[in-house]
Amino acid sequence: MQRRTRLVLAPLAAGTLLGLALTACAPGATTSGTGTDVDASTELTTDDITLTLMSTPESGAATEATIAAFEAEHPNITIEYSQTNYDDYNQSVNLNLSGDQSPDIVLLNAVANTVKNKLVLPLDDYAGLYGWDEFFPANQLNQWRVAEDGSTLGDGGALYAAPAGFSLVGAYYNKALATQLGIDAPTSPADFEKALQTAAAAGALPVQVGNAEGHAAFIVQLLGQGASGADVANAWAFGHEGETFDTDANREAAQTLVDWQKAGYLGDPTTVNGTDLQGAVDNFTAGKGLFLVDGIWDAGKIGDALGADAGFLAFPGDNVTGIGTSVAYAISSQSAHPNEAAAFLDFLRSPEASEQQFAQGFMPNDPTVAVAEDGTLQGDIVAAWAEVSDADGLVAFNNNATATMNDVLKAGTQQLIAGQTSVDDFLAAVQADWAAAHAG
């Protein structure tokens, strides 16, 4: 049965579009747009229409296959797909949403000023019509719920994006190298530290890291949240009032990164800071490194290269946690066909879409399709996801805590690894950026 409810979209304020493009969505920037009411409904048009969708290559194959399946079910709806690389996309998405040729559906990597400037629709009415709240566990939607202040995330805020598969950051490991060194897959911080010591003593690189884009921040976050627990870590990542990054857990995590560098566990600092993530993946699959801290979005590449020697585990901590979020899509506030766009968002949890998500290395919206043999890389990923999910240990990316946090973490971890800053100054810089975005 088709149902209808009414969604009211507040008017958008006028402002300078150039500022959005050049300042990475500087606070206070505003945009122009429509201020019409939207009738949220599951009843779709029978006219021939075209929707436009913008994304990035990381989830492109799964999204394109899902589009084809959706078009087969809705032959009057065509979805035109376009993609740009991650950095260019993040710098241009708000400008595209605020322009005269706004796409209907966009990948939403971080809410930032996209929500503050009302560039995308709140989706709670569609969530009610389609039953998303009943289908998805709360912690899988909370990262896309935004309070009225436009920056605080989590339970109680309005929903602005729908999942299209889930990522998880943990530790890949080379099973053949581990066997050669007599190392079992670590299950505790002490086990992990011992594995690093054993690898280094044998002349093997303990941890392959590419930090040209700041991915050593994953190590700091996983160490910190493993000590503090997911609830504490999420409160900061979600921008909750009164939180701080300067905690004992994060201080010890940042110091551990420094200690690992000094012990030679990461390799030459110049090489580490000059290598990007995909370069690190290539090095790891070439046998250079026992561990690689990375997301499951690279599982296909790593599995193809290492085969049965590729392993994955939830990063060991006193608390079971993982960094993760969904690939998530939002609807432009300027879309002429929001109901049809919402129907596509709902289709993202279909078995057809979920199979594509899993095939491309993401945990699927429909977990029943995540079936893999024990001992395989996919089997390891499914087991790690279940472990983190059962512990309610999924934590949002620290990089997304503010619109500029990724830059702060990138610079800070590069300086830590190069010995150019102190742990105190690193923690202070991260918290200062957070406070500027979440004050008041």
Side-chain angles (χ1 to χ4, degrees), residues 375-397:
T376 65
L377 179 57
Q378 277 196 320
D380 288 352
I381 289 171
V382 171
W385 176 261
E387 184 181 1
V388 172
S389 295
D390 289 348
D392 201 16
L394 194 64
V395 179
F397 285 81

Side-chain angles (χ1 to χ4, degrees), residues 178-200:
T179 299
Q180 178 184 330
L181 297 172
I183 295 172
D184 294 326
T187 59
S188 70
D191 288 344
F192 194 84
E193 187 75 29
K194 184 177 180 180
L196 302 186
Q197 294 170 357
T198 301

Side-chain angles (χ1 to χ4, degrees), residues 229-263:
D231 289 345
V232 172
N234 267 324
W236 183 86
F238 285 172
H240 292 182
E241 184 178 359
E243 296 299 322
T244 181
F245 192 76
D246 190 354
T247 63
D248 290 345
N250 287 333
R251 179 175 297 277
E252 183 176 345
Q255 184 61 54
T256 297
L257 180 69
V258 173
D259 293 344
W260 284 0
Q261 180 58 58
K262 290 179 178 179

Side-chain angles (χ1 to χ4, degrees), residues 201-218:
L205 179 66
V207 185
Q208 175 62 236
V209 182
N211 197 38
E213 301 159 314
H215 286 93
F218 288 168

Side-chain angles (χ1 to χ4, degrees), residues 12 20 25 31 90 93-94 97 106-121 150 160 330 333:
L12 302 181
L20 285 173
C25 310
T31 65
N90 286 341
V93 62
N94 283 7
L97 283 167
V106 295
L107 179 72
L108 195 63
N109 287 319
V111 296
N113 282 14
T114 308
V115 169
K116 281 187 178 181
N117 291 326
K118 299 182 173 61
L119 298 179
V120 291
L121 290 174
Y160 284 91
S333 60

Side-chain angles (χ1 to χ4, degrees), residues 118-150:
K118 299 182 173 61
L119 298 179
V120 291
L121 290 174
L123 301 178
D124 295 278
D125 288 339
Y126 290 118
L129 291 171
Y130 284 110
W132 297 344
D133 289 328
E134 290 75 31
F135 182 86
F136 294 103
N139 69 350
Q140 293 180 3
L141 294 181
N142 281 348
Q143 294 184 29
W144 307 110
R145 293 192 178 279
V146 188
E148 290 184 4
D149 63 11

Side-chain angles (χ1 to χ4, degrees), residues 34-283:
T34 59
T36 58
D37 292 345
V38 176
D39 285 324
S41 174
T42 59
E43 183 176 354
L44 308 183
T45 183
T46 57
D47 296 338
D48 290 339
I49 66 166
T50 297
L51 301 174
T52 52
L53 185 151
M54 293 185 62
S55 189
T56 62
E58 287 80 6
S59 58
T63 302
E64 289 185 276
T66 300
I67 287 172
F70 179 81
E71 289 176 336
E73 188 169 307
H74 301 276
N76 65 309
I77 303 176
T78 299
I79 299 181
E80 294 182 350
Y81 175 86
S82 64
Q83 65 182 31
T84 54
N85 70 70
Y86 184 86
D87 287 338
D88 290 344
Y89 181 88
N90 286 341
Q91 291 173 12
S92 64
V93 62
N94 283 7
L95 185 63
N96 286 319
L97 283 167
S98 59
D100 293 336
Q101 302 295 322
S102 173
D104 294 281
I105 303 169
V106 295
L107 179 72
L108 195 63
N109 287 319
V111 296
N113 282 14
T114 308
V115 169
K116 281 187 178 181
N117 291 326
K118 299 182 173 61
L119 298 179
V120 291
L121 290 174
L123 301 178
D124 295 278
D125 288 339
Y126 290 118
L129 291 171
Y130 284 110
W132 297 344
D133 289 328
E134 290 75 31
F135 182 86
F136 294 103
N139 69 350
Q140 293 180 3
L141 294 181
N142 281 348
Q143 294 184 29
W144 307 110
R145 293 192 178 279
V146 188
E148 290 184 4
D149 63 11
S151 63
T152 304
L153 310 184
D155 187 31
L159 181 68
Y160 284 91
F166 295 87
S167 63
L168 179 70
V169 176
Y172 290 93
Y173 67 104
N174 186 319
K175 292 182 177 180
L177 182 55
T179 299
Q180 178 184 330
L181 297 172
I183 295 172
D184 294 326
T187 59
S188 70
D191 288 344
F192 194 84
E193 187 75 29
K194 184 177 180 180
L196 302 186
Q197 294 170 357
T198 301
L205 179 66
V207 185
Q208 175 62 236
V209 182
N211 197 38
E213 301 159 314
H215 286 93
F218 288 168
I219 296 175
V220 175
Q221 179 173 351
L222 285 164
L223 287 166
Q225 69 190 38
S228 70
D231 289 345
V232 172
N234 267 324
W236 183 86
F238 285 172
H240 292 182
E241 184 178 359
E243 296 299 322
T244 181
F245 192 76
D246 190 354
T247 63
D248 290 345
N250 287 333
R251 179 175 297 277
E252 183 176 345
Q255 184 61 54
T256 297
L257 180 69
V258 173
D259 293 344
W260 284 0
Q261 180 58 58
K262 290 179 178 179
Y265 294 168
L266 310 181
D268 177 73
T270 301
T271 301
V272 170
N273 283 337
T275 303
D276 64 14
L277 179 61
Q278 288 311 304
V281 171
D282 291 339
N283 290 337

